[in-house]
Amino acid sequence: MLLAGACSSSDDAPLADAKPVVDNYIAIVHASYDDTLREAQTLKTRIDALVAAPDAASLEAAKQQWLAAREPYALTESYRFYDGPIDDPDDGPEPRINAWPLDEVYIDYVEGDPDAGIINHPVEFPTLTKELLAAQNEKGGEKNIATGYHAIEFLLWGQDRSATGPGARPHTDYVVGGTAANQDRRATYLALVGELLVDDLSSVAVQWVPGESYAAELAALPPEEAIRRMLQGLGALSGAELSGERMATALDNRDQEDEHSCFSDNTHRDLLNNATAIQNVYLGRYGSMDGPGLDELVRARDPELDARMQDQLAASIAAIQAIPVPFDQAIMNDDGRAKILAAVRALRDQTDTIVDVATLLDITINLE
């Protein structure tokens, strides 16, 4: 556990210069979730087209849109870990959106078990609905993932049995009378989880409309608390989540089941965009937007610390870019493992500096 606490004197000025930083943060979060929702809506359209007329082209279009939809979502991961709208402990939808790792056998057939999964148990689950699938998500175990990006990923790609590429589910899995059993139920399941993803992302996006809901609540907080939440999100993603769960676990276990997007071999993009998400919040930018960031608060108080933070953010991104693709093969060979370890260490150094930034600003964050 890393703790950063108050260590400055009572004579220090409060974060009176933080309001523009908080306002800009709200603006970039709003824009980011709007992009994420729009791409998810397009994904749903592609899924619906696949279900209506399954062929190689419609399956490939859905796959390509899934990859496109992951890009903006991965950039939202730095807006988590402080009980905001996406991971509110009471009703946050994050577990339905991006939970992983996913046990394939919970959803559909796998090699050696053609009758596995909710899809292939029509007696136990006679009618597939969004409500049913949401209720089954993580039921009986955290790997019992029934919904979200990775459920859709598995239903599009299937298991990854290739050393050089992603999974290769045939489009005939969705053609009645084609490959595998219960093609109609598989199509229904895919359409439902696509719709549920849009529903859940919509519920998050609306909370970040400036001046409304959670965005208004955050803007009205004392600046110290708003900045604490921002730093909590950065530190938690950089440390235990990205360097730990998303990288070190797979490295230690040498198991592709522990990588983030194992069916599509898109893990390298997830990792890179997650690291970029941390940098974006620190610098106050997203896409073409570039406004006041945490860097301005730090630079005004300790230019050397700001320079170190920016250098480490760039270094962690470069270290992730250096990891060979695909990630599931990098965890198995010496060169790939060395580069993953270098990225893990860069992220851990970066996390220590995020704690230093919090300390400078007289803010307490708790990183487990």
Side-chain angles (χ1 to χ4, degrees):
M1 179 184 298
L2 296 175
L3 293 172
C7 68
S8 57
S9 72
S10 59
D11 295 331
D12 285 349
L15 289 172
D17 51 346
K19 189 178 189 315
V21 175
V22 176
D23 289 344
N24 184 57
Y25 177 76
I26 292 169
I28 66 175
V29 175
H30 175 233
S32 184
Y33 276 122
D34 267 4
D35 287 348
T36 298
L37 177 58
R38 182 172 57 254
E39 293 292 348
Q41 290 167 334
T42 303
L43 175 59
K44 179 184 179 299
T45 299
R46 298 287 185 271
I47 287 171
D48 291 344
L50 166 62
V51 167
D55 58 22
S58 60
L59 176 59
E60 183 61 25
K63 288 180 179 179
Q64 291 303 313
Q65 182 54 35
W66 186 91
L67 295 172
R70 285 296 290 176
E71 293 289 301
Y73 180 77
L75 292 171
T76 70
E77 294 270 65
S78 54
Y79 317 142
R80 290 186 51 207
F81 308 109
Y82 52 78
D83 296 343
I86 193 165
D87 47 11
D88 183 284
D90 294 325
D91 58 5
E94 197 280 333
R96 293 194 302 271
I97 292 173
N98 194 45
W100 66 284
L102 179 153
D103 186 357
E104 305 99 307
V105 76
Y106 191 62
I107 293 178
D108 198 6
Y109 77 90
V110 295
E111 186 176 43
D113 193 349
D115 300 320
I118 295 169
I119 287 170
N120 297 300
H121 284 79
V123 173
E124 184 177 358
F125 305 103
T127 304
L128 299 177
T129 65
K130 288 189 294 183
E131 294 74 20
L132 170 72
L133 298 184
Q136 294 302 310
N137 194 58
E138 295 188 330
K139 184 176 181 179
E142 62 181 11
K143 291 188 177 183
N144 290 346
I145 308 304
T147 68
Y149 283 105
H150 298 296
I152 295 171
E153 180 193 11
F154 171 54
L155 288 168
L156 293 177
W157 272 273
Q159 287 179 289
D160 180 6
R161 295 300 186 187
S162 171
T164 57
R169 182 188 290 274
H171 75 271
T172 47
D173 277 6
Y174 292 97
V175 176
V176 175
T179 50
N182 295 303
Q183 300 94 353
D184 55 342
R185 282 174 59 86
R186 185 171 297 108
T188 298
Y189 193 115
L190 177 59
L192 289 171
V193 289
E195 186 175 347
L196 185 58
L197 179 66
V198 170
D199 291 347
D200 284 334
L201 288 172
S202 297
S203 74
V204 175
V206 72
Q207 291 286 320
W208 283 101
V209 175
E212 299 181 21
S213 303
Y214 185 83
E217 174 190 323
L218 188 67
L221 289 173
E224 294 82 2
E225 172 57 18
I227 297 297
R228 185 199 68 79
R229 295 185 189 186
M230 293 168 64
L231 287 168
Q232 179 70 34
L234 299 192
L237 177 58
S238 179
E241 188 69 20
L242 184 52
S243 71
E245 293 295 327
R246 303 191 184 194
M247 298 180 70
T249 298
L251 183 66
D252 291 343
N253 295 342
R254 297 176 184 255
D255 187 350
Q256 73 167 9
E257 294 292 319
D258 290 323
E259 67 166 325
H260 203 57
S261 295
C262 66
F263 311 113
S264 62
D265 276 350
N266 195 55
T267 299
H268 63 291
R269 293 299 304 171
D270 291 330
L271 301 177
L272 178 59
N273 283 321
N274 289 169
T276 302
I278 299 167
Q279 184 186 57
N280 280 351
V281 170
Y282 185 76
L283 298 178
R285 70 188 188 189
Y286 170 73
S288 62
M289 302 171 68
D290 191 355
L294 294 167
D295 60 321
E296 296 188 11
L297 299 180
V298 177
R299 189 160 54 249
R301 292 158 174 81
D302 189 339
E304 291 184 1
L305 179 58
D306 172 57
R308 170 156 56 97
M309 184 77 263
Q310 295 207 37
D311 286 346
Q312 289 178 340
L313 290 166
S316 66
I317 289 172
I320 290 173
Q321 289 173 320
I323 298 171
V325 177
F327 186 83
D328 61 3
Q329 297 307 302
I331 61 176
M332 302 301 293
N333 63 75
D334 290 344
D335 177 62
R337 291 177 61 79
K339 288 177 178 174
I340 295 171
L341 182 58
V344 168
R345 287 171 174 165
L347 287 164
R348 288 174 178 170
D349 289 344
Q350 169 181 293
T351 305
D352 290 341
T353 301
I354 292 171
V355 172
D356 291 341
V357 166
T359 298
L360 173 74
L361 300 178
D362 202 13
I363 284 172
T364 298
I365 59 175
N366 185 347
L367 308 182
E368 297 180 349

